[in-house]
Amino acid sequence: MRKLGTIDLEVLFLAVKEKGTFDENNLENSELKRHGVGKILDTLASLKDRKFISLNSDGSFSITQLAREILWSANIPIWGRILRLLQIKSCNIDQITDILGVSEDKIKQELEELRKNEFVLMSPQRQEEKLIKIYEILPEGIQEIDKTDTQGFNKSNFRKVTLNGGIIEIINQIQNEIQKSNITEHDKNKIIEKVKDLKNRLEI
């Protein structure tokens, strides 16, 4: 993935919010103005050079498909978009949901799987007298998302352990079959303990 800075992200997200095209007035009315005119102009020039935005005849700018493919494409799995975003900046759930335009429930589910795979770290931070969960990418997460640049997402080692995968149901069936079997109670208990240990290791 072509790396973005935090201000690059703000500009591209402004374009997404403005349905693809933004102008000087949109910039002036956004949080971007805190960076100053010089920094904004430098960022616009850099984004244009990298073909992430294009300049229109009326002086406005439009986000390109190349830029949309970074964080706002349905071709990229949600977990991949989350890791790409966290490579740019650490975020709370509200920020991730807002920037990616994905429902909070889906974001929470994906974040939990990423946390289990030790790709992201959640740390509570106090902001304005409130405890906010902040997510940041770990070195393993950086390595995994960087690898997708050359290998694609289908060959990723990202392992989802979810209820939808039927893992709990399969384990429960195994336990039931053990209980029905003719082996001794001692052997049954030994096997069931191993199954319980497996469930604990999978954190389900």
Side-chain angles (χ1 to χ4, degrees), residues 9 12-13 16 63 67-68 70-74 81 99-100:
L9 173 63
L12 294 180
F13 181 44
V16 170
I63 187 173
R68 287 186 183 274
I70 299 173
L71 293 174
W72 298 283
S73 171
R81 283 180 265 168
I99 293 171
L100 298 185

Side-chain angles (χ1 to χ4, degrees), residues 55-68:
L55 177 62
N56 302 315
S57 58
D58 62 356
S60 64
F61 293 91
S62 293
I63 187 173
T64 64
Q65 186 58 37
L66 182 64
R68 287 186 183 274

Side-chain angles (χ1 to χ4, degrees), residues 72-195:
W72 298 283
S73 171
N75 296 325
I76 309 298
I78 296 173
W79 67 264
R81 283 180 265 168
I82 291 173
L83 288 182
R84 284 183 171 182
L85 174 58
L86 295 182
Q87 265 191 302
I88 302 169
K89 58 178 289 188
S90 299
C91 299
N92 59 41
I93 287 181
D94 289 342
Q95 290 171 322
I96 298 172
T97 301
D98 189 32
I99 293 171
L100 298 185
V102 178
S103 72
E104 184 174 325
D105 287 342
K106 287 183 179 179
I107 293 296
K108 284 182 176 179
Q109 181 179 346
E110 297 293 328
L111 280 171
E112 181 60 18
E113 298 303 331
L114 289 168
R115 187 192 62 78
K116 287 180 181 178
N117 282 269
E118 298 183 347
F119 289 162
V120 303
L121 174 69
M122 187 280 290
S123 55
Q125 294 183 14
R126 187 169 294 279
Q127 296 180 0
E128 297 179 356
E129 302 304 317
K130 293 182 181 179
L131 275 178
I132 306 294
K133 294 179 180 178
I134 302 295
Y135 292 86
E136 59 183 288
I137 193 168
L138 292 171
E140 292 80 3
I142 294 173
Q143 182 179 9
E144 189 69 21
I145 196 62
D146 283 349
K147 194 167 59 181
T148 63
D149 287 347
T150 55
Q151 298 181 8
F153 288 91
N154 293 332
K155 294 185 179 180
S156 170
N157 292 325
F158 179 49
R159 176 178 61 87
K160 284 194 174 186
V161 181
T162 65
L163 295 178
N164 293 334
I167 294 175
I168 289 181
E169 289 79 1
I170 293 172
I171 290 178
N172 288 338
Q173 287 175 11
I174 293 173
Q175 287 180 316
N176 290 334
E177 291 298 322
I178 293 170
Q179 292 290 359
K180 294 177 184 177
S181 68
N182 294 325
I183 60 177
T184 65
E185 287 298 320
H186 176 71
D187 288 339
K188 282 183 185 180
N189 291 335
K190 283 174 59 178
I191 297 173
I192 288 174
E193 284 302 315
K194 289 182 180 179
V195 173

Side-chain angles (χ1 to χ4, degrees), residues 18-34:
E18 296 297 332
K19 299 182 179 179
T21 300
F22 64 96
D23 57 23
E24 184 179 343
N25 290 329
N26 299 130
L27 288 168
E28 180 63 28
N29 294 324
S30 72
E31 291 293 320
L32 277 158
K33 63 182 179 182
R34 73 187 187 280

